[in-house]
Amino acid sequence: MKTQRPAAGRRRGSVLMITVCLSFIIGVVLLSCLSLVKSQNQAVARSQAWNICMPVVEAGIEEGMAHLNNKRESSYVANGWTQSGTDLIRQRNYGDGFYTVNINLTDPLKAIVVCTGYVRLPVLVAQANHPLLAAVNSGGVAYVCRAVQVVAKRQGLFQKVMLAKERIDMNGNGILTDSFDSTDPNLSTGGVYDPAKVSDNGDVGSIAGLTNTVGVGNADIKGRVHTGKGGTVLIGNQNGVVGSLAWHAAGKSGVEPGWANDDMNIWLPDVELPFTGGAFPPVGGVVTSNGTPYTYKYVLSGGNFELAGLDVKSGERIAVTGDSVLLVKGDVTMVGGVDILPGGSLQMYVTGTSATLGGSGINNAGRATNFVYFGLPSNKTLSLPSNGDFTGVIYAPSADLKLNGGGSSLMQFCGACVNRSITIGGHYTFHFDQSLRGSSPRQDYVIISWVEL
Amino acid sequence: MRFCTGGRPACAGVTLVELMIGVFLTALAATALLILSASTGRSLAEMTNYVDLDHYNRVALDKLTRELRQVRYLVSVANNKKSVTFSDKDGLDVTYTYSPPNKALLRIKSGQTTTLLQQCDSFDFQFFHRTPLSNNFALSSTSITNCKVVSFSWQCSRSLLGRKVNTEQGQAARIVIRNKKQI
């Protein structure tokens, strides 16, 4: 037997070929792996930048909203904001990126805020130049950008007939809530409440989440009841009804399904002083009406007035003949009354601990916004032991409101109230003027829609 | 029999023992190469599989978060919580349905069905209330009407040669519905 070794040159060639093949295979595999890892890394990096963009955009929207609601500045052109026509514009660097905010105020009650956020793309992605990793270029830097448009509206302070931070107790008899619209002839007559033209927007709300947050008792609520999370509505063994007009018309009792909800979550801002100087003390006078002269303790003919305290005794009255603002830096005791005469309106700001609007109360033949009561944070109690109807609105979020009086007759409360708590002991029927939602004193801008562009 | 002498390479040969050792070593090297190739190939396939899985998961997550953020409100939830319907930003209903038999998450709007996820082993929705509880940062579960926050999570997997090799468990998000308003 003879076996021959191959020539040395041929052996070396085979080894070389095998080595080359192996290296090629390993190289291809390695390249594929690296390529996969790279593309995944790029996709993850871009996704992260894309998601980071949302907080940047919302930071811009927050700044825009803060600017709109900033009462400290007398002009919108402040704090780095510029104005172009009806647009306000601001750009701010934010981390590695920036955002631009544009506020359109063509309608001053309805601002359109558009914010575009830019986040710098990681170099890994920026250099990839891949169509699926699209970027915008600004100043030679690649960014990923997203834009959001929000619409912010200044709604009226009064959206419900009764709103409280804490409990609402309806202890009286014959209590009723419904709504009308003083600007709609189908829901009012001559701008005044008409029992034949009512709607079921007499909503009652409390932001408290307590057991029995709203004690309906035997009241007829022609509207919805809202409470904070976990808050409940107490009907008890009494014949209280909460629901639509149809629910009431059908003679049903209890809460109509879907008309009580524990989703209430709003912020009630404190009242601030209307002015810090330049007001005058009001003086008395004679006002002639239909040829008959009447003597008033104070005549508020328009402008700003200030008193250290207000004490209107029985037989005394206040006349309001112009658009007036009265700041009372003390308690209010009213046994007489206030006459809001044609062409007059009164905004009363009270800093005193307690206020009592009794006697014949507020005689306001016009719309509810003609009498606005503002209780500052130091105003803790407000009583309405009146024997007359009340047409006006009350915003005193730190004050407990007590409604008594009326004897056996029903009294009408046309307007709305916002208080710390509300206790009703008298015979009141509450009629919410729906026009208050749009025409009452405005609250801050609130976002009503949010859309990513 | 004739033996070649070492001084004559042309006549040089190997013994049977040398040959057997050579064959054995070659077989060993070939086997190692084969195992290495198979292993490398499988790893590459698994990695490709995972990259693909990760890509689809991320795209689905980004798409879902973007859409849910701007819906108007939650309309309905199926009893098994596998199908939810929202009122979309344009007022039309959009439904997200998880189909366990098909292991797919579907988006249905205006009669058009889009597959968001495939080979999805499980999918869960959770719904939370808007209002915070006092002294507590936790969100509380809610009824459909009051749903302000939507949370979802899923698990996907991929198989290779009939064996489950990749899973993705970390896909979860909690989205605040921006347009949900108080009723």
Side-chain angles (χ1 to χ4, degrees), chain A residues 279-438:
Chain A
F280 297 97
V283 294
V286 176
V287 176
T288 302
S289 178
N290 296 327
T292 308
Y294 296 94
T295 302
Y296 286 93
K297 180 175 185 177
Y298 299 123
V299 177
L300 307 178
S301 54
N304 295 340
F305 300 94
E306 185 175 325
L307 284 169
L310 181 61
D311 186 3
V312 184
K313 294 184 170 56
S314 177
E316 294 180 337
R317 303 194 70 76
I318 297 174
V320 182
T321 59
D323 295 331
S324 309
V325 179
L326 173 62
L327 171 60
V328 183
K329 289 189 164 178
D331 292 347
V332 174
T333 307
M334 189 178 297
V335 184
V338 177
D339 296 332
I340 310 286
L341 300 175
S345 71
L346 175 61
Q347 291 188 5
M348 182 189 284
Y349 288 79
V350 178
T351 65
T353 307
S354 69
T356 304
L357 303 179
S360 61
I362 310 298
N363 300 308
N364 175 15
R367 298 188 62 207
T369 47
N370 286 352
F371 177 75
V372 187
Y373 178 97
F374 286 114
L376 276 82
S378 52
N379 182 211
K380 299 299 182 189
T381 62
L382 171 61
S383 298
L384 262 72
S386 169
N387 287 314
D389 293 339
F390 177 91
T391 300
V393 289
I394 296 168
Y395 186 84
S398 298
D400 297 313
L401 174 64
K402 286 188 169 58
L403 294 118
N404 296 307
S408 57
S409 60
L410 286 174
M411 287 188 301
Q412 294 191 33
F413 183 111
C414 294
C417 57
V418 178
N419 292 89
R420 183 167 174 267
S421 70
I422 299 170
T423 307
I424 306 161
H427 298 175
Y428 276 91
T429 57
F430 293 85
H431 314 299
F432 177 56
D433 185 351
Q434 293 172 197
S435 71
L436 288 170
R437 287 178 171 165

Side-chain angles (χ1 to χ4, degrees), chain B residues 1-81:
Chain B
M1 184 176 277
R2 185 179 160 202
F3 293 94
C4 291
T5 59
R8 297 173 61 190
C11 296
V14 292
T15 64
L16 183 62
V17 174
E18 285 177 326
L19 183 67
M20 287 178 71
I21 290 171
V23 168
F24 174 74
L25 288 176
T26 306
L28 198 67
T31 306
L33 191 65
L34 202 67
I35 292 170
L36 182 70
S37 301
S39 171
T40 310
R42 189 176 183 84
S43 295
L44 182 64
E46 285 178 5
M47 188 180 282
T48 309
N49 220 5
Y50 179 74
V51 168
D52 189 54
L53 175 69
D54 181 61
H55 171 73
Y56 279 103
N57 271 276
R58 192 171 43 257
V59 169
L61 186 70
D62 287 351
K63 193 169 183 179
L64 258 181
T65 53
R66 186 181 194 274
E67 289 187 352
L68 292 186
R69 197 177 277 127
Q70 48 194 332
V71 297
R72 293 166 64 206
Y73 55 87
L74 177 62
V75 175
S76 64
V77 182
N79 287 337
N80 58 3
K81 289 195 175 179

Side-chain angles (χ1 to χ4, degrees), chain A residues 226-308:
Chain A
H226 303 269
T227 67
K229 172 65 181 164
T232 59
V233 179
L234 175 66
I235 302 280
N237 296 324
Q238 301 174 70
N239 299 318
V241 187
V242 177
S244 61
L245 290 178
W247 181 263
H248 283 263
K252 300 195 174 177
S253 60
V255 181
E256 182 175 354
W259 284 65
N261 197 295
D262 68 342
D263 194 30
M264 190 91 187
N265 181 27
I266 59 166
W267 175 62
L268 299 174
D270 285 337
V271 179
E272 297 180 4
L273 287 171
F275 45 77
T276 54
F280 297 97
V283 294
V286 176
V287 176
T288 302
S289 178
N290 296 327
T292 308
Y294 296 94
T295 302
Y296 286 93
K297 180 175 185 177
Y298 299 123
V299 177
L300 307 178
S301 54
N304 295 340
F305 300 94
E306 185 175 325
L307 284 169

Side-chain angles (χ1 to χ4, degrees), chain A residues 52-189:
Chain A
I52 288 169
C53 220
M54 191 45 61
V56 175
V57 170
E58 296 211 316
I61 291 171
E62 284 289 329
E63 178 165 3
M65 293 300 296
H67 186 64
L68 282 172
N69 291 323
N70 185 356
K71 298 184 180 66
R72 305 293 171 199
E73 304 292 348
S74 57
S75 165
Y76 281 127
V77 185
N79 301 321
W81 287 80
T82 56
Q83 186 162 10
S84 171
T86 54
D87 287 357
L88 302 168
I89 301 153
R90 177 80 161 95
Q91 181 172 322
R92 184 186 286 277
N93 291 333
Y94 190 93
D96 228 9
F98 64 94
Y99 59 73
T100 58
V101 192
N102 185 303
I103 302 174
N104 183 283
L105 281 171
T106 304
D107 179 354
L109 297 178
K110 194 172 168 186
I112 298 170
V113 184
V114 177
C115 180
T116 309
Y118 297 84
V119 171
R120 184 191 282 247
L121 273 175
V123 175
L124 172 77
V125 186
Q127 289 179 345
N129 201 24
H130 194 284
L132 291 177
L133 304 172
V136 292
N137 200 295
S138 175
V141 180
Y143 292 93
V144 61
C145 80
R146 294 175 81 174
V148 167
Q149 173 182 294
V150 302
V151 177
K153 201 173 173 185
R154 290 192 73 186
Q155 294 175 315
L157 269 178
F158 302 97
Q159 301 293 318
K160 302 182 190 315
V161 70
M162 269 183 256
L163 178 58
K165 284 181 175 176
E166 297 183 3
R167 287 183 197 278
I168 297 176
D169 287 314
M170 302 180 192
N171 299 321
N173 291 317
I175 297 173
L176 173 146
T177 76
D178 58 15
S179 65
F180 71 107
D181 189 334
S182 59
T183 59
D184 184 351
N186 293 319
L187 289 173
S188 65
T189 300

